[in-house]
Amino acid sequence: MANENSISTLNAQPLKKIVIVGGGAAGWLTAGIIAAEHLVDKHNGIELVVIESPDVATIGVGEGTWPSMRNTLKKMGVSETDFIRECDASFKQGSKFIGWSRPGEEFYYHPFTLPEGNNDINLAAHWLPFRETISFADAVCAQSHLSDRYLAPKQLTTPEFAGNVNYGYHLNAGKFSQFLQKHCIDKLGVTHLIDHVTGVNSGEKGDISALITKINGEINGDLFIDCTGFASRLIGEHYQIPLVEQSHILFNDSALAVQIPYSNPDEPIASCTLSTAQDSGWIWDIGLPTRRGVGHVFSSAHTQDDEVEKNLRVYLEASIGKAAAANITPRKLSFTPGYRAKFWHKNCVAVGIAAGFIEPLEATALVLIELSAQTISEQLPANRAVMDITAKRFNNKFAGNWQRIIEFLKLHYVLSERRDTEYWRDHCNPTTMPDGLREQLELWRYQVPWKHDIRGDEMFPWASYQYVLYGMGFNTLPRALAKRAAQAETNAANRLFNETVKKTSVAVANLPTNRYLLSKLGEFSFQKI
Ligand SMILES: Cc1cc2nc3c(=O)[nH]c(=O)nc-3n(C[C@H](O)[C@H](O)[C@H](O)COP(=O)(O)OP(=O)(O)OC[C@H]3O[C@@H](n4cnc5c(N)ncnc54)[C@H](O)[C@@H]3O)c2cc1C
């Protein structure tokens, strides 16, 4: 009895010390989000330590974010101007998919801005009769027109983190981690230890009581956050929580990445991530102010490294010439696509690549880090006694998020008309399609995706499904509306289509190019909010 009491007393102790292992984007974003919300610098009851190995480099790729990053940085008290300057960042307004429906130059946009009218009217249904004359993205928002012209999403006079259209960022991943690290240490009261975790001390009921490090000895804590990337030192190696592999759905497991300088300093900076389909994968092309980050993601089961390198050179020849393309030395990255069977186990939770990784299509990794850290921060268990309940909910939520992401990424492949290689034939084989996606596609043959299709754990808004479906040439044959309702809706839709045309011409006339705005930020700042 006395023993039980002492356990419950121990369990009811307030959670005081959080130890994050890993100093990549996952470690520092998680530290920043928790420290800002829990006023760690004011010694408000929570101590936060980040341990970063001097022996294991950060992954150093991962250059596209979602618009959510604006809110994350704002909450952490970061200045947008400083962030753009120090992380070599540019503006990302979505993705441009080239050659995904069939090989060639044909493209479509998946912009970040939602269609005009948003939740009030489903514009896609009214666009369908005009599908042969205007693309869906062009009809419903200004952003594809801005991206065609390399325009920025805002002006120099627009306040920090605000935009004329929705936007995220392209950034230098290495500089981003360093920027976050400095901010967390200098402004948010986070303690930083450069040390390698070599082992784990287990406490009561299998909890981690302390980490064993090379230099600082034992580091104890109440909650341990595993941000160790592919090492997955705590959740994978220590707790042996298996990876739920997804290579039967999303085949890509490798990438060759390079950094390409601009041929001249005035070269336009793309407003979108360019994603160009290849025979056995796709190439990303991300424009930063000083260079482009380019990489070929591929399935090692469908092709060889030398074939991929050859494709990458051919792709680059168009922009940098044959001689420069012949000289590139790509860096190879390999991964097993999947996510952990559990993210939170005992007093340990994994965030970032330690929790899982699937290919970088639609840049879902950083946003999952933001969402995981935000959830941990908002639902930080008061003590160990209630932690298992929080863990169970966290695990259910994020397993659902991963599954929805996987379905959305697979959507890009299954709609393709490409059957020219084994890779595309395998992707379009219905047996490789998750059931949830198959059901959605059945429905969408007769009804246009909208808010009613969005399941609780969805990461992408319904508009994203529309942009990809109709960008890829999918057809929906909706049931006709009763005549009176149809006329009222058609009138409202026409007003919104006209509104888009007006907004587009105002935006095109007034927004600067990315290159111009970013160069001005060397000298001027966005107005602080
Ligand atoms: C090809 C590719 C392209 C990508 N593109 C995108 C993209 O466009 N957008 C996007 O959102 N994401 C992208 N990602 C994912 C993105 O790079 C990662 O999600 C992000 O960088 C976070 O990585 P991380 O912090 O989890 O891991 P890492 O950056 O690998 O950091 C791991 C940290 O753990 C530390 N560590 C490891 N072992 C120990 C130990 N024993 N003791 C102490 N410390 C330890 C290391 O020192 C390091 O600091 C991409 C990934 C790949 C592979």
Side-chain angles (χ1 to χ4, degrees), residues 22-23 25-26 53 56 58-59 61-64 196-197 227-228 353 357 360 363 365-366:
S53 173
V56 186
T58 58
I59 185 149
V61 281
E63 304 197 314
H196 190 84
V197 172
C227 296
T228 56
I353 292 179
F357 181 69
L366 290 171

Side-chain angles (χ1 to χ4, degrees), residues 20-29 50-66 69 92 169-171 173 176-177 193-199 211-213 226-234 237 254-257 273 282 284 286 295-297 331 333-335 351-370:
I20 296 176
V21 191
W28 289 113
L29 275 169
V50 173
I51 310 176
E52 177 178 7
S53 173
D55 309 326
V56 186
T58 58
I59 185 149
V61 281
E63 304 197 314
T65 85
W66 280 28
M69 189 59 81
K92 171 173 175 178
Y169 305 102
H170 288 137
L171 49 81
F176 185 48
S177 294
L193 296 178
I194 298 187
D195 206 342
H196 190 84
V197 172
T198 54
L211 300 175
I212 306 164
T213 63
D226 185 352
C227 296
T228 56
F230 286 119
S232 196
R233 180 65 186 82
L234 305 182
E237 192 181 333
S254 311
L256 292 187
T273 297
W282 58 276
W284 80 78
I286 285 177
H296 190 322
V297 194
R331 168 184 169 212
L333 297 126
S334 302
F335 53 90
V351 176
I353 292 179
F357 181 69
I358 44 173
E359 60 156 295
L361 190 69
E362 297 283 8
T364 54
L366 290 171
V367 68
L368 265 176
I369 294 170
E370 295 169 70

Side-chain angles (χ1 to χ4, degrees), residues 13-20 30-31 33-40 44-48 222-225 344 347 349 372-391 394:
Q13 294 290 318
L15 186 142
K16 283 189 183 148
K17 185 170 171 187
I18 302 172
V19 181
I20 296 176
T30 306
I33 288 167
I34 298 176
E37 189 152 324
H38 292 272
L39 305 177
V40 167
N44 218 21
I46 300 277
E47 183 192 350
L48 199 63
D222 301 312
L223 175 66
F224 295 86
I225 307 187
W344 198 323
N347 62 340
V349 54
S372 305
Q374 197 61 52
T375 308
I376 295 168
S377 183
E378 280 167 6
Q379 295 177 29
L380 198 64
N383 52 46
R384 182 63 187 88
V386 293
M387 194 181 287
D388 292 342
I389 303 168
T390 311
F394 186 95

